[in-house]
Amino acid sequence: MKTSDFNYDLPDELIAKYPLKSRSASRLLVYENKIQHKSFIDILDYLNQGDLLVLNNTSVIPARVFGKKETGGLVEVFLERIMENNTALVQIRSGNSPKIGTKIFLNEFEAVCTNRKDNFFILQFDDLPIDIFNKIGHIPLPPYINRIDEDIDKLRYATVYENKELQNSVAAPTAGLHFDEDLLKKIQIKGINIAKINLSVGAGTFQPVKVEDIEDHDIHEEYVEVTANTINKVRETKARGNKIIAVGTTATRALETAFLENKDSFEGYTKLFIYPGFKFRAVDLLVTNFHLPKSSLLMLVSAFIGFENMKQIYHAAVKEKYRFLSYGDAMLLKRNDI
């Protein structure tokens, strides 16, 4: 399939620039062989006792810092991944790309550009990178939100169930932003089980697919941990005929990676690219936001519900003026082969 097959017209006014006052107040487009327009709180009507809701409990690093090169030029450093020995893989925005050996001053901290890797740079910091970013970093709002982060983002660009000890993502698992404590309590009271995975969301999640043929796309790599406890819960749920509901493409990618490997637990990096033709082994229902044109996330959705169904849903969402992307509305999708 061609990348152009996954293009659609996304009016700028439909891109949500701020979260709603209440997390669970967003709209919910439900697709179970037909399109239904609901409120997110209605998700309770589609989950049954004994089902398993799978959440990504990663926590977001304040991954954007500002500074200047030793030559005086201003720079923006966006963290992709912390590496060993106080090094990190980053994106750098500046008037001119820094040369190898260039010093970068970030408030009271310093870093040296030691190497390049494709479109990324490797920086050697003079202190622990996680401490530096936590001290002077900004909330890494996606580029399409197109505004400076504000106090509200510290609270709302994070899930209520994040594990602060797993601070390893540079983007939020945004499907989870719709759940508040009250809704999660109602889900548990109804007898729906909850399991958690950890997938470190990278900045590559925002990158459009640029190759002509989607099978030629080199997808971004992300760190995944799926415990034996979670895999056992998935297996037990499916064995008794209940459904697995993945909250977000990150939870989907993590589960499908683990089940593709057919292991009792999984910890490591995944480059799993899910596009039409992929055989899903774990996930039955998907909660997700509306994604960018030509993105790998849109291709995952298309694989899950079928290409023509995806086109129909996005046409309806634009027509009905749903709010798109990270702070936008949500969908609940039933896999097309069940």
Side-chain angles (χ1 to χ4, degrees), residues 92-112:
I92 295 179
R93 293 183 183 176
S94 64
N96 295 301
S97 295
K99 297 178 180 178
I100 304 304
T102 298
K103 282 186 179 181
I104 296 176
F105 300 100
L106 306 164
N107 289 13
E108 70 267 36
F109 303 103
E110 290 185 18
V112 177

Side-chain angles (χ1 to χ4, degrees), residues 14-257:
L14 297 187
I15 298 175
K17 300 298 196 296
Y18 286 91
L20 296 175
K21 185 175 181 180
S22 169
R23 287 179 181 269
S24 59
S26 62
R27 298 167 70 190
L28 180 70
L29 186 152
V30 179
Y31 186 80
E32 288 187 318
N33 304 318
K34 67 176 182 178
I35 294 174
Q36 302 173 69
H37 302 292
K38 301 286 184 177
S39 298
F40 194 80
I41 194 71
D42 295 327
I43 196 171
L44 281 166
D45 298 335
Y46 298 90
L47 309 182
N48 298 311
Q49 181 178 359
D51 287 345
L52 182 67
L53 190 73
V54 182
L55 310 173
N56 182 5
N57 64 349
T58 189
S59 180
V60 177
I61 300 169
R64 179 178 282 115
V65 296
F66 300 92
K68 61 182 180 180
K69 293 182 286 187
E70 57 187 319
T71 55
L74 299 178
V75 297
E76 176 185 335
V77 175
F78 192 101
L79 178 66
E80 171 67 13
R81 184 167 73 244
I82 293 174
M83 302 163 71
E84 58 186 5
N85 301 322
N86 286 4
T87 62
L89 190 68
V90 304
Q91 298 179 36
I92 295 179
R93 293 183 183 176
S94 64
N96 295 301
S97 295
K99 297 178 180 178
I100 304 304
T102 298
K103 282 186 179 181
I104 296 176
F105 300 100
L106 306 164
N107 289 13
E108 70 267 36
F109 303 103
E110 290 185 18
V112 177
C113 181
T114 61
N115 208 343
R116 288 197 68 159
K117 185 178 180 182
D118 300 324
N119 293 322
F120 296 94
F121 296 85
I122 296 176
L123 293 186
Q124 175 77 55
F125 291 87
D126 64 350
D127 204 338
L128 291 173
I130 189 66
D131 291 345
I132 293 173
F133 281 91
N134 274 324
K135 186 171 183 179
I136 66 172
H138 293 256
I139 300 300
L141 294 178
Y144 47 70
I145 288 183
N146 196 28
R147 64 172 173 83
I148 300 297
D149 59 302
E150 302 175 20
D151 285 344
I152 189 174
D153 301 305
K154 295 177 183 177
L155 176 67
R156 296 298 299 278
Y157 195 64
T159 63
V160 298
Y161 49 79
E162 66 176 346
N163 184 341
K164 291 286 191 180
E165 295 181 359
L166 298 174
Q167 193 182 31
N168 51 15
S169 285
V170 301
T174 53
L177 301 184
H178 303 280
F179 292 86
D180 53 30
E181 296 286 4
D182 184 60
L183 179 55
L184 287 172
K185 187 179 295 184
K186 289 177 179 177
I187 285 171
Q188 291 175 299
I189 290 172
K190 191 172 179 178
I192 296 143
N193 301 309
I194 292 177
K196 294 175 181 176
I197 60 88
N198 181 256
L199 182 142
S200 303
V201 189
T205 191
F206 303 123
Q207 299 300 315
V209 177
K210 296 180 179 179
V211 294
E212 182 179 0
D213 190 323
I214 65 172
E215 293 186 26
D216 295 331
H217 177 55
D218 183 21
I219 197 165
H220 56 287
E221 181 179 72
E222 292 174 314
Y223 178 79
V224 174
E225 184 178 3
V226 185
T227 65
N229 183 50
T230 291
I231 288 180
N232 286 337
K233 284 183 177 180
V234 172
R235 288 172 175 164
E236 291 166 1
T237 301
K238 296 181 84 68
R240 63 174 177 262
N242 283 100
K243 297 291 191 293
I244 308 300
I245 305 100
V247 177
T249 57
T250 61
T252 300
R253 196 175 185 217
L255 287 176
E256 294 300 333
T257 293

